[in-house]
Amino acid sequence: MKRSRDKAASELFAALYPRLAGWCRRLVDDDETAHEIASEAFTRLWARWSRVEEPRGFLYVTAANLVRDHWRKLERERRAMRRATTEAAVNAHTEQADPSVRLLVQSLPERLRTPILLHYYADMPIREVSVLTGRKEGTVKADLHAARELLRVHLRRSLDHTL
């Protein structure tokens, strides 16, 4: 019984792990984190092996939840970074514009920043960004356009100050 269970788990791992890890990689844009999430999903499956009727579905739902947790952690880190950056800017006597795109993207409102990060940094199609954010594709397109316009204005202003 245990041997057949181990064999089934091993076959499932061989069949699904590469695709699951690849899917996670597209969502988190980091190989190591993607493998950690995929491995954790399998660990959780293994702990509930006898109670899970649909292992593939369980793995993807678990991985999606772990990706969401990862994104939340990143967002908390971004907020802390923004607070620190804002405090540093307020404390600085001379205000110098930083044309860094990364900093400009961080300064976008979350409504605009999230689609930019998913579409341009995680290389996700608009359809997938729509599903992940729970917004209509047209809304995602409009948010991407608005974010690009804001970035364009900020970059132009930053470059004008440095010339």
Side-chain angles (χ1 to χ4, degrees), residues 29-48:
D29 200 30
D30 177 62
D31 285 334
E32 186 176 334
T33 303
H35 284 286
E36 286 175 12
I37 289 171
S39 296
E40 178 63 22
F42 270 95
T43 300
R44 292 180 184 192
L45 172 64
W46 183 248
R48 295 164 184 79

Side-chain angles (χ1 to χ4, degrees), residues 115-159:
I116 287 284
L117 292 173
L118 294 175
H119 184 65
Y120 292 107
Y121 289 85
D123 207 25
M124 291 183 192
I126 289 173
R127 182 183 72 257
E128 199 168 339
V129 173
S130 170
V131 170
L132 288 171
T133 60
R135 298 179 193 155
K136 294 180 179 175
E137 286 185 34
T139 303
V140 170
K141 289 176 184 177
D143 287 346
L144 287 170
H145 175 75
R148 285 191 306 268
E149 288 303 310
L150 271 175
L151 291 172
R152 186 175 294 121
V153 167
H154 288 303
L155 272 173
R156 189 171 292 132
R157 192 177 311 139
S158 295
L159 291 173

Side-chain angles (χ1 to χ4, degrees), residues 27-163:
L27 296 174
V28 299
D29 200 30
D30 177 62
D31 285 334
E32 186 176 334
T33 303
H35 284 286
E36 286 175 12
I37 289 171
S39 296
E40 178 63 22
F42 270 95
T43 300
R44 292 180 184 192
L45 172 64
W46 183 248
R48 295 164 184 79
W49 183 253
S50 61
R51 297 184 307 265
V52 174
E53 290 182 31
E54 180 50 54
R56 183 177 182 274
F58 178 90
L59 287 168
Y60 276 85
V61 167
T62 301
N65 288 337
L66 292 168
V67 166
R68 187 194 64 229
D69 292 345
H70 172 75
W71 285 346
R72 284 179 178 162
K73 178 183 173 214
L74 288 179
E75 183 55 34
R76 285 191 301 272
E77 290 171 357
R78 275 191 213 101
R79 270 190 247 125
M81 181 60 108
R82 263 197 318 277
R83 277 194 302 273
T85 304
T86 302
E87 289 170 13
V90 167
N91 293 336
H93 294 293
T94 59
E95 203 175 301
Q96 291 184 335
D98 182 358
S100 164
V101 174
R102 182 181 56 80
L103 290 174
L104 292 175
V105 169
Q106 284 179 344
S107 72
L108 289 171
E110 183 178 355
R111 174 181 70 80
L112 301 178
R113 185 179 59 244
T114 300
I116 287 284
L117 292 173
L118 294 175
H119 184 65
Y120 292 107
Y121 289 85
D123 207 25
M124 291 183 192
I126 289 173
R127 182 183 72 257
E128 199 168 339
V129 173
S130 170
V131 170
L132 288 171
T133 60
R135 298 179 193 155
K136 294 180 179 175
E137 286 185 34
T139 303
V140 170
K141 289 176 184 177
D143 287 346
L144 287 170
H145 175 75
R148 285 191 306 268
E149 288 303 310
L150 271 175
L151 291 172
R152 186 175 294 121
V153 167
H154 288 303
L155 272 173
R156 189 171 292 132
R157 192 177 311 139
S158 295
L159 291 173
D160 288 345
H161 286 300
T162 58
L163 296 178

